[in-house]
Amino acid sequence: MARIVVAEVCPGCGSLDVRATEPRWFRVDLDRRGDLDQGWIDSLEFACRDCHLVWD
């Protein structure tokens, strides 16, 4: 099976020096997640280290 890897490219400056982060600073324990999570805990946020643009 072939695997394809895609690099995230900054939409502002075209740099490949991009980092990915999860916007929340903690993870909710799975058994309590339904009580606290509003559906955005698994989203990723990208930030360019060159021009500092942030996008998701």
Side-chain angles (χ1 to χ4, degrees):
M1 172 192 290
R3 293 182 185 230
I4 298 173
V5 177
V6 178
E8 188 68 31
V9 178
C10 176
C13 70
S15 173
L16 290 172
D17 194 4
V18 173
R19 65 181 173 87
T21 60
E22 187 176 335
R24 264 176 101 165
W25 62 275
F26 68 93
R27 282 233 171 238
V28 177
D29 198 12
L30 292 178
D31 60 337
R32 295 194 56 225
R33 190 172 184 161
D35 298 332
L36 301 174
D37 184 18
Q38 300 299 316
W40 52 273
I41 195 166
D42 288 327
S43 66
L44 280 179
E45 186 175 84
F46 298 97
C48 178
R49 293 181 184 187
D50 289 333
C51 73
H52 307 290
L53 180 69
V54 176
W55 68 99
D56 56 7

